[in-house]
Amino acid sequence: MRYAQYRDAIRKILARNAAGLTWSQLQSRLSLPYDRPCPTWTKQLEQEIGLLRVKGKGRSLVWRIGDEASDG
């Protein structure tokens, strides 16, 4: 999977789930081949699609797209 495919898949599913999803949920729903998110790609998502990761229950982080996100 190339970065652009990963980015587009993450953006699309998070746009449909405004409350956000955990990495585990994203991995399962998108059949991602990665055990953990790549830190470099995650930083790019923060810049490009306005990805936010906020504390969820326990140790989880909930991924969502911020209100100010641009389509950049």
Side-chain angles (χ1 to χ4, degrees), residues 57-70:
K57 292 182 180 180
R59 296 175 43 206
S60 69
L61 291 175
V62 177
W63 292 38
R64 64 182 181 86
I65 297 176
D67 296 334
E68 69 283 352
S70 67

Side-chain angles (χ1 to χ4, degrees), residues 11-30:
R11 179 185 355 217
K12 187 175 180 180
I13 197 166
L14 291 179
R16 292 190 315 247
N17 293 277
L21 297 168
T22 65
W23 171 254
S24 181
Q25 292 169 322
L26 288 167
Q27 185 184 35
S28 174
R29 293 181 188 189
L30 296 173

